[in-house]
Amino acid sequence: MAREPRRSARLDQPREVRRGLVPTPTYDPEAFGRLSERIARFIGTGRFLVYMTVFVVVWLVWNAVDWPLQFDNYPFIALTLMLSLQASYAAPLILLAQNRQADRDRVQYEQDRGRAERNISDTDYLTRELASLRIAVGDVATRDFLRSELRQLLDELEERGAVGETSPRTASES
């Protein structure tokens, strides 16, 4: 029997998907993430602590009394197993919720950084515009400047004798 030559795996080609005998379950990661956040939020409340405390106290009292309905004798192996199981599921759910929150925070920080950069560039633009307006206003002749210039011209004309005795300035001076 001739053996088929083994095809070398090429890195530029995707691998063929192997379908198993048992289909793998699919789930919506976003829905699972939202559920984990809800659970993590509930676990972090005082209400959860009160419920858990009441549950443990009832369990201990129920099983500490020696009666026929007792199901978990001292040292409360079933209670320890349940609390360990609850903790083993709570820790990854809390971590998943924290990772999702960190992702949301990272997006928010990036948006804030972009907004801050736009604000800085807008402020720089407005500062340059304001400076150019100040320069332009500094070059504009004001009313007081025009009056002083006209007064100087009038004085020069009076000195030369070109202005008669009926000038408005001489009438106002007398």
Side-chain angles (χ1 to χ4, degrees):
M1 271 195 225
R3 210 169 175 199
E4 288 184 27
R6 184 173 179 220
R7 289 180 50 195
S8 62
R10 293 187 52 181
L11 296 178
D12 62 341
Q13 298 292 324
R15 295 172 74 187
E16 293 180 17
V17 177
R18 294 183 184 174
R19 299 191 186 264
L21 297 175
V22 179
T24 57
T26 59
Y27 66 94
D28 180 17
E30 194 63 30
F32 187 75
R34 285 191 303 269
L35 176 67
S36 69
E37 286 176 345
R38 288 180 62 197
I39 292 171
R41 276 193 205 102
F42 177 68
I43 288 175
T45 63
R47 179 184 296 179
F48 174 77
L49 291 175
V50 169
Y51 289 163
M52 186 60 87
T53 303
V54 168
F55 174 78
V56 169
V57 167
V58 167
W59 184 288
L60 292 174
V61 169
W62 184 276
N63 289 295
V65 177
D66 190 22
W67 64 316
L69 297 176
Q70 180 182 20
F71 57 89
D72 190 16
N73 296 331
Y74 179 83
F76 307 113
I77 301 297
L79 177 64
T80 305
L81 180 64
M82 284 181 42
L83 292 176
S84 298
L85 184 64
Q86 183 268 333
S88 68
Y89 274 98
L93 288 175
I94 291 170
L95 289 175
L96 178 61
Q98 286 176 344
N99 288 341
R100 287 174 51 90
Q101 184 62 43
D103 291 341
R104 280 194 299 272
D105 289 344
R106 186 173 26 262
V107 168
Q108 183 65 36
Y109 293 147
E110 289 172 4
Q111 290 174 350
D112 288 346
R113 190 177 309 118
R115 192 175 303 117
E117 289 173 0
R118 285 191 303 275
N119 285 342
I120 289 171
S121 66
D122 289 347
T123 303
D124 289 344
Y125 172 75
L126 291 174
T127 303
R128 286 191 303 273
E129 287 297 313
L130 186 60
S132 67
L133 286 174
R134 284 183 178 166
I135 291 170
V137 167
D139 293 340
V140 173
T142 62
R143 183 175 51 189
D144 294 335
F145 174 75
L146 287 175
R147 283 183 181 167
S148 68
E149 289 295 316
L150 287 173
R151 204 161 265 149
Q152 285 178 1
L153 283 174
L154 187 59
D155 290 341
E156 286 178 14
L157 288 174
E158 284 178 353
E159 287 175 6
R160 290 184 190 166
V163 178
E165 297 294 326
T166 59
S167 70
R169 181 164 188 212
T170 55
S172 63
E173 288 176 356
S174 48

